[in-house]
Every structure is written in structure tokens, then in C-alpha cells.
Amino acid sequence: MSKIVVRAERPEDYQAIDVVNLSAFEGDDEAKLVASLREQPGYRADFSLVAEFNGRPVGHLMMTAGTLAGANTNTPIMIIAPMAVVPSQSHRGIGTVLVEEAKDKAKSEGMAAMIAVGKPDYYSRLGFEPASKWSVRCNLPVPEDAVMLIELDKGALKGGGIVHYSAPFLSMY
């Protein structure tokens, strides 16, 4: 059986990443978001992960460095969005492998936590918990229960706060 290989994106992956996002989300909003995030100051290709299976890109996860603005402090946090797996390859653990690699990358970058907006039942299987547990919210117009966090540095989320997503994310809503 072939192994899932995760690596940083390369320019020659852009079209395949678009296909992954288009097929997973059945629309072009996420593909447009990825393109827009690549144009932002501070974009890093090593924050955009490609999952290969049998030598072909079948998954993608993009991360953006952000900040949890609390009452007395700003805490470095990693934003996951978007994350996609080609539907024909779902249920192979590709999303799990991408998130685990993202956690490792976020830790190595000194991030205190990771935030994702998505399906709570999916993210809870990966160790994420409702952001409301820490009195954390975000500036996206999404249901509160869709905002999920995982602490990478225990106690870092104490006191809560707000995560401000950048303009490319806001333009999706």
C-alpha cells in the first residue's frame, strides 16, 4: 500500500491544489482563497501543505500565522484554512495526516494554538475543542460551534480573546 507523503507546496502544484479544492468544496471560493492568501505579505510556501498518494496530490492544507488578541496579551496562533481532500480519496486518513503535520509545523514555529472553522465532529476527532471552552471567538460570521481550537502550549488560551481573520477570509462571507 502506498504511503501518504506530505510536503510544502511548489508553484508547479498550484493547478493540482485548485483541483483538490474545487472537487472537495464543489465551488471555487476556497481555490480563490488559496490564491489570495499566496499574495498576502508573509505568505510562506512551507505553510501550504500538499498530501500525495501514489505520487499525485490528493489533499491540501493551508496555514496562516495569526494572533489571539486577549485582554492583556497577544498570543501567536496558527489558522488552518482551507483544508481539502479529493472526495475519491476521503476516508484514507489524508486529512488526519495533514493536520498532524500542521500541528508539528505550528509547534516548531512557536505557535500556542491552532484554530479551524469547520465541522465540529471532524475536528474533535483530531483533538480540537470548541473555542468557547476558552472564551475565544473569531471575526468570521460563522456559527459559534464551528470554531474549533487545539492548544499546543498548555494554558496559552487562558483568558480568551478574539482571532481576527484577514481580508481574504472575510471576502468569502
Side-chain angles (χ1 to χ4, degrees):
M1 179 173 210
S2 294
K3 183 180 177 200
I4 299 164
V5 175
V6 177
R7 60 172 174 74
E9 76 171 17
R10 299 183 294 251
E12 59 266 25
D13 296 321
Y14 291 179
Q15 186 174 8
I17 289 170
D18 283 349
V19 169
V20 169
N21 282 291
L22 289 166
S23 64
F25 293 107
E26 299 178 357
D28 65 355
D29 288 345
E30 286 77 9
K32 287 179 181 177
L33 174 62
V34 169
S36 182
L37 290 171
R38 285 186 189 119
E39 296 172 3
Q40 296 297 302
Y43 160 75
R44 290 178 46 183
D46 62 328
F47 281 7
S48 185
L49 304 177
V50 174
E52 290 182 340
F53 183 70
N54 289 332
R56 297 179 56 198
V58 294
H60 176 250
L61 182 149
M62 187 166 256
M63 299 177 284
T64 307
T67 302
L68 170 65
N72 300 315
T73 185
N74 289 324
T75 304
I77 191 167
M78 191 68 84
I79 297 168
I80 298 176
M83 181 179 76
V85 174
V86 173
S88 66
Q89 299 299 315
S90 64
H91 306 293
R92 291 185 183 265
I94 295 167
T96 300
V97 172
L98 281 166
V99 170
E100 290 302 320
E101 288 285 331
K103 284 181 194 176
D104 290 345
K105 182 69 175 172
K107 285 179 188 178
S108 74
E109 294 289 326
M111 298 294 170
M114 290 177 64
I115 188 169
V117 173
K119 297 176 181 175
D121 55 331
Y122 177 78
Y123 282 101
S124 65
R125 290 188 326 216
L126 302 172
F128 287 73
E129 298 179 80
S132 59
K133 171 183 174 179
W134 293 280
S135 299
V136 172
R137 58 189 177 84
C138 72
N139 65 330
L140 298 178
V142 296
E144 182 179 305
D145 68 340
V147 183
M148 304 291 289
L149 278 169
I150 186 167
E151 269 189 322
L152 302 174
D153 180 11
K154 295 294 177 201
L157 299 174
K158 187 177 179 181
I162 184 166
V163 176
H164 290 279
Y165 280 72
S166 63
F169 291 101
L170 296 172
S171 68
M172 288 184 59
Y173 296 94

